[in-house]
Amino acid sequence: MVAEEQKTTDSNIIDSKSLNQDEIDALLGYGSNDSNEYGAQKNGVRAILNSNMVSYERLPMLEIVFDRLIRLMATSLRNFTQDNVEVSLDSIESMRFGEYIDSLTLPTLLNVFKAEEWDNYGLMSLDSSLVYSMVDVLLGGRRGTAAMRIDGRPYTTIELNIVKEMIKLILSDLSTAFDPITSVNFAFDRLETNPRFATISRISNAVIVAHLRVDMEDRGGKIDLMIPYATLEPVRELLLQMFMGERFGRDTIWENHLMSQLWDTDVEVKAVLAEKDIRLSDISSWERGSFLPLEISPQEDIKVLCGDVPLFKGTMGRKEQHIVIRVSGKAEKNG
């Protein structure tokens, strides 16, 4: 009887330690209340895995760039389609490249573009609804009817050419959107329909994704603009600014004072006639009156150095009671 009671007690202890599905989800970071407005997990195991991710909010100027982009895109696409086009920014989020590729809904048209000045790549994905809507609008589809989508068939050459022209417009607008920060040209590279062939980064690398929505009355679709953080690294310092033209606390009064004082700074320079390697045994044999042959002529150049940094070269001469050097040019640093 005692053994049965002990067994029952152990069973209750085991049951009390069991986790239900909600507790398991919370532990793994999949709870419904564990994500912020941009989808980033705040707690659980997923929070540990994503702890090294860089939030886009640490690059505040990107939000201004994307805001300029949607305004430029709206104008460009209106001129391109001769229709009423509205472009909106749904969200901006940070994730890993592998997560973004896995989240794509097929069929999707993927455009690989290159930032020429940064020598790196980005990715733009267009869903099938936007592709068919754009083709329908440009080829005279009737208003009030949704774009027809045919599943299971590849995009035709006409559809690809139309989308290619639209992508070039968007890339041009993206280059213009970056102009207030830095000059960069985003060039069209290639179109892909298979995400495997559009791999431009390591699976674990951090990327930033801007989700855009294009509406043309009752038609439209989504555009995802994905840029790896490695691509943005050359302009990271500029994107860290909180507002356009920020100077990171630089004091112009102090700068001007420092510049004015630099002109009154004394700098010691030395003129080197020649340099020669001598053995220590030869130096030990020197006596008063010994000569050191330099093997140079009066016409050879003399180097003027500040510390170990060569500044100028010139020829030696005499003016009144002073030995002078006539500067003939800048000295070579490796000379």
Short mmCIF file of all heavy atoms in Angstrom, two decimals, residues 38-70:
data_model
loop_
_atom_site.label_atom_id
_atom_site.label_comp_id
_atom_site.label_asym_id
_atom_site.label_seq_id
_atom_site.Cartn_x
_atom_site.Cartn_y
_atom_site.Cartn_z
N TYR A 38 7.90 44.70 -35.80
CA TYR A 38 8.63 44.32 -37.00
C TYR A 38 8.92 42.83 -37.05
O TYR A 38 9.69 42.39 -37.88
CB TYR A 38 9.93 45.11 -37.10
CG TYR A 38 9.70 46.58 -37.23
CD1 TYR A 38 9.96 47.43 -36.17
CD2 TYR A 38 9.18 47.11 -38.41
CE1 TYR A 38 9.72 48.79 -36.29
CE2 TYR A 38 8.95 48.46 -38.53
CZ TYR A 38 9.22 49.29 -37.48
OH TYR A 38 9.00 50.63 -37.60
N GLY A 39 8.31 42.06 -36.15
CA GLY A 39 8.45 40.61 -36.22
C GLY A 39 9.67 40.06 -35.52
O GLY A 39 9.94 38.87 -35.61
N ALA A 40 10.45 40.85 -34.83
CA ALA A 40 11.66 40.35 -34.17
C ALA A 40 11.28 39.74 -32.83
O ALA A 40 10.54 40.33 -32.05
CB ALA A 40 12.66 41.48 -33.96
N GLN A 41 11.78 38.54 -32.52
CA GLN A 41 11.46 37.86 -31.28
C GLN A 41 12.17 38.54 -30.11
O GLN A 41 13.34 38.89 -30.19
CB GLN A 41 11.86 36.40 -31.38
CG GLN A 41 11.13 35.64 -32.49
CD GLN A 41 9.64 35.54 -32.26
OE1 GLN A 41 9.22 35.59 -31.13
NE2 GLN A 41 8.86 35.42 -33.31
N LYS A 42 11.43 38.70 -29.00
CA LYS A 42 11.99 39.38 -27.85
C LYS A 42 12.47 38.43 -26.76
O LYS A 42 13.27 38.81 -25.92
CB LYS A 42 10.94 40.34 -27.24
CG LYS A 42 10.64 41.55 -28.12
CD LYS A 42 9.68 42.47 -27.42
CE LYS A 42 9.43 43.72 -28.23
NZ LYS A 42 8.48 44.64 -27.58
N ASN A 43 11.91 37.19 -26.69
CA ASN A 43 12.34 36.29 -25.64
C ASN A 43 12.29 34.87 -26.15
O ASN A 43 11.90 34.60 -27.27
CB ASN A 43 11.46 36.47 -24.39
CG ASN A 43 9.97 36.42 -24.72
OD1 ASN A 43 9.55 35.67 -25.59
ND2 ASN A 43 9.20 37.24 -24.03
N GLY A 44 12.67 33.93 -25.27
CA GLY A 44 12.70 32.53 -25.67
C GLY A 44 14.00 32.16 -26.35
O GLY A 44 14.94 32.96 -26.45
N VAL A 45 14.05 30.91 -26.83
CA VAL A 45 15.25 30.43 -27.50
C VAL A 45 15.54 31.22 -28.76
O VAL A 45 16.69 31.49 -29.10
CB VAL A 45 15.09 28.93 -27.82
CG1 VAL A 45 16.30 28.41 -28.59
CG2 VAL A 45 14.90 28.12 -26.55
N ARG A 46 14.48 31.64 -29.47
CA ARG A 46 14.69 32.41 -30.70
C ARG A 46 15.35 33.75 -30.39
O ARG A 46 16.11 34.27 -31.21
CB ARG A 46 13.37 32.62 -31.44
CG ARG A 46 12.86 31.37 -32.13
CD ARG A 46 11.56 31.65 -32.85
NE ARG A 46 11.73 32.64 -33.89
CZ ARG A 46 12.15 32.36 -35.12
NH1 ARG A 46 12.48 31.12 -35.43
NH2 ARG A 46 12.26 33.31 -36.02
N ALA A 47 15.06 34.32 -29.23
CA ALA A 47 15.72 35.57 -28.85
C ALA A 47 17.21 35.36 -28.66
O ALA A 47 18.02 36.23 -28.99
CB ALA A 47 15.08 36.12 -27.58
N ILE A 48 17.60 34.19 -28.12
CA ILE A 48 19.02 33.89 -27.96
C ILE A 48 19.68 33.72 -29.32
O ILE A 48 20.78 34.24 -29.57
CB ILE A 48 19.20 32.62 -27.11
CG1 ILE A 48 18.61 32.84 -25.71
CG2 ILE A 48 20.67 32.23 -27.01
CD1 ILE A 48 18.63 31.60 -24.85
N LEU A 49 18.99 33.01 -30.23
CA LEU A 49 19.55 32.79 -31.56
C LEU A 49 19.69 34.09 -32.33
O LEU A 49 20.61 34.27 -33.12
CB LEU A 49 18.68 31.80 -32.34
CG LEU A 49 18.60 30.38 -31.78
CD1 LEU A 49 17.63 29.55 -32.58
CD2 LEU A 49 19.98 29.73 -31.80
N ASN A 50 18.75 35.01 -32.13
CA ASN A 50 18.76 36.27 -32.88
C ASN A 50 19.41 37.39 -32.10
O ASN A 50 19.29 38.56 -32.48
CB ASN A 50 17.32 36.68 -33.24
CG ASN A 50 16.68 35.72 -34.22
OD1 ASN A 50 17.37 35.11 -35.03
ND2 ASN A 50 15.38 35.55 -34.13
N SER A 51 20.10 37.07 -31.01
CA SER A 51 20.67 38.13 -30.18
C SER A 51 21.75 38.91 -30.89
O SER A 51 22.04 40.04 -30.53
CB SER A 51 21.24 37.51 -28.90
OG SER A 51 22.26 36.57 -29.23
N ASN A 52 22.38 38.32 -31.91
CA ASN A 52 23.44 39.03 -32.63
C ASN A 52 22.91 39.75 -33.86
O ASN A 52 23.67 40.27 -34.65
CB ASN A 52 24.54 38.04 -33.06
CG ASN A 52 24.01 36.97 -33.99
OD1 ASN A 52 22.81 36.75 -34.06
ND2 ASN A 52 24.90 36.30 -34.69
N MET A 53 21.59 39.77 -34.04
CA MET A 53 21.04 40.48 -35.19
C MET A 53 21.09 41.98 -34.94
O MET A 53 20.94 42.46 -33.82
CB MET A 53 19.59 40.04 -35.43
CG MET A 53 19.45 38.60 -35.88
SD MET A 53 20.26 38.31 -37.47
CE MET A 53 19.19 39.28 -38.50
N VAL A 54 21.27 42.74 -36.02
CA VAL A 54 21.34 44.20 -35.93
C VAL A 54 20.02 44.77 -36.38
O VAL A 54 19.58 44.51 -37.50
CB VAL A 54 22.48 44.74 -36.81
CG1 VAL A 54 22.58 46.24 -36.68
CG2 VAL A 54 23.79 44.07 -36.44
N SER A 55 19.36 45.51 -35.51
CA SER A 55 18.08 46.09 -35.88
C SER A 55 18.30 47.24 -36.85
O SER A 55 19.26 47.99 -36.74
CB SER A 55 17.37 46.60 -34.62
OG SER A 55 16.21 47.33 -34.97
N TYR A 56 17.35 47.40 -37.77
CA TYR A 56 17.49 48.47 -38.76
C TYR A 56 17.43 49.84 -38.10
O TYR A 56 17.91 50.83 -38.64
CB TYR A 56 16.40 48.34 -39.82
CG TYR A 56 15.14 49.12 -39.51
CD1 TYR A 56 14.95 50.39 -40.06
CD2 TYR A 56 14.17 48.64 -38.65
CE1 TYR A 56 13.82 51.12 -39.77
CE2 TYR A 56 13.05 49.35 -38.38
CZ TYR A 56 12.86 50.59 -38.94
OH TYR A 56 11.75 51.32 -38.66
N GLU A 57 16.86 49.92 -36.89
CA GLU A 57 16.74 51.20 -36.22
C GLU A 57 18.10 51.77 -35.84
O GLU A 57 18.21 52.93 -35.49
CB GLU A 57 15.86 51.05 -34.98
CG GLU A 57 14.41 50.70 -35.34
CD GLU A 57 13.55 50.52 -34.11
OE1 GLU A 57 14.07 50.68 -33.00
OE2 GLU A 57 12.35 50.23 -34.27
N ARG A 58 19.14 50.95 -35.89
CA ARG A 58 20.49 51.47 -35.64
C ARG A 58 21.03 52.20 -36.88
O ARG A 58 22.10 52.76 -36.82
CB ARG A 58 21.42 50.32 -35.27
CG ARG A 58 21.02 49.65 -33.96
CD ARG A 58 22.02 48.60 -33.55
NE ARG A 58 21.59 47.88 -32.36
CZ ARG A 58 22.25 46.90 -31.80
NH1 ARG A 58 23.40 46.50 -32.34
NH2 ARG A 58 21.80 46.28 -30.73
N LEU A 59 20.32 52.14 -37.98
CA LEU A 59 20.66 52.89 -39.20
C LEU A 59 19.48 53.79 -39.52
O LEU A 59 18.71 53.53 -40.46
CB LEU A 59 20.96 51.93 -40.36
CG LEU A 59 22.05 50.88 -40.11
CD1 LEU A 59 22.16 49.95 -41.30
CD2 LEU A 59 23.39 51.54 -39.84
N PRO A 60 19.29 54.86 -38.76
CA PRO A 60 18.07 55.67 -38.88
C PRO A 60 17.87 56.28 -40.26
O PRO A 60 16.73 56.50 -40.68
CB PRO A 60 18.27 56.75 -37.82
CG PRO A 60 19.31 56.22 -36.90
CD PRO A 60 20.20 55.37 -37.73
N MET A 61 18.94 56.58 -40.98
CA MET A 61 18.79 57.25 -42.26
C MET A 61 18.14 56.35 -43.30
O MET A 61 17.63 56.83 -44.31
CB MET A 61 20.16 57.72 -42.77
CG MET A 61 20.75 58.87 -42.00
SD MET A 61 19.65 60.31 -41.91
CE MET A 61 19.49 60.70 -43.64
N LEU A 62 18.13 55.03 -43.08
CA LEU A 62 17.49 54.13 -44.04
C LEU A 62 16.00 54.41 -44.14
O LEU A 62 15.41 54.30 -45.22
CB LEU A 62 17.72 52.68 -43.63
CG LEU A 62 18.98 52.00 -44.16
CD1 LEU A 62 19.04 50.57 -43.70
CD2 LEU A 62 19.04 52.07 -45.67
N GLU A 63 15.38 54.76 -43.02
CA GLU A 63 13.94 55.05 -43.06
C GLU A 63 13.67 56.27 -43.93
O GLU A 63 12.68 56.30 -44.67
CB GLU A 63 13.43 55.27 -41.64
CG GLU A 63 11.92 55.34 -41.57
CD GLU A 63 11.41 55.27 -40.15
OE1 GLU A 63 12.20 54.95 -39.25
OE2 GLU A 63 10.21 55.54 -39.95
N ILE A 64 14.56 57.26 -43.87
CA ILE A 64 14.40 58.43 -44.73
C ILE A 64 14.61 58.06 -46.19
O ILE A 64 13.90 58.53 -47.08
CB ILE A 64 15.38 59.53 -44.28
CG1 ILE A 64 15.06 59.98 -42.86
CG2 ILE A 64 15.36 60.71 -45.25
CD1 ILE A 64 16.01 61.01 -42.32
N VAL A 65 15.60 57.19 -46.44
CA VAL A 65 15.86 56.75 -47.81
C VAL A 65 14.64 56.03 -48.39
O VAL A 65 14.21 56.30 -49.52
CB VAL A 65 17.09 55.83 -47.85
CG1 VAL A 65 17.23 55.16 -49.22
CG2 VAL A 65 18.35 56.63 -47.55
N PHE A 66 14.05 55.12 -47.62
CA PHE A 66 12.90 54.37 -48.12
C PHE A 66 11.68 55.27 -48.26
O PHE A 66 10.83 55.05 -49.14
CB PHE A 66 12.59 53.19 -47.20
CG PHE A 66 13.60 52.09 -47.30
CD1 PHE A 66 14.14 51.51 -46.14
CD2 PHE A 66 14.05 51.62 -48.52
CE1 PHE A 66 15.08 50.50 -46.22
CE2 PHE A 66 14.99 50.62 -48.61
CZ PHE A 66 15.50 50.06 -47.47
N ASP A 67 11.56 56.29 -47.41
CA ASP A 67 10.46 57.23 -47.55
C ASP A 67 10.59 58.04 -48.84
O ASP A 67 9.61 58.27 -49.55
CB ASP A 67 10.42 58.16 -46.33
CG ASP A 67 9.25 59.12 -46.38
OD1 ASP A 67 8.11 58.63 -46.31
OD2 ASP A 67 9.48 60.35 -46.50
N ARG A 68 11.80 58.46 -49.16
CA ARG A 68 12.03 59.14 -50.43
C ARG A 68 11.77 58.20 -51.60
O ARG A 68 11.25 58.60 -52.64
CB ARG A 68 13.48 59.65 -50.51
CG ARG A 68 13.76 60.88 -49.67
CD ARG A 68 15.25 61.20 -49.67
NE ARG A 68 15.79 61.24 -51.02
CZ ARG A 68 15.75 62.30 -51.83
NH1 ARG A 68 15.19 63.42 -51.41
NH2 ARG A 68 16.30 62.26 -53.03
N LEU A 69 12.11 56.92 -51.43
CA LEU A 69 11.95 55.96 -52.51
C LEU A 69 10.48 55.79 -52.89
O LEU A 69 10.15 55.77 -54.08
CB LEU A 69 12.54 54.61 -52.09
CG LEU A 69 12.32 53.45 -53.07
CD1 LEU A 69 12.99 53.72 -54.41
CD2 LEU A 69 12.82 52.14 -52.47
N ILE A 70 9.59 55.66 -51.92
CA ILE A 70 8.19 55.43 -52.26
C ILE A 70 7.57 56.65 -52.94
O ILE A 70 6.71 56.52 -53.81
CB ILE A 70 7.38 55.03 -51.00
CG1 ILE A 70 7.42 56.13 -49.94
CG2 ILE A 70 7.88 53.72 -50.43
CD1 ILE A 70 6.55 55.82 -48.72
#
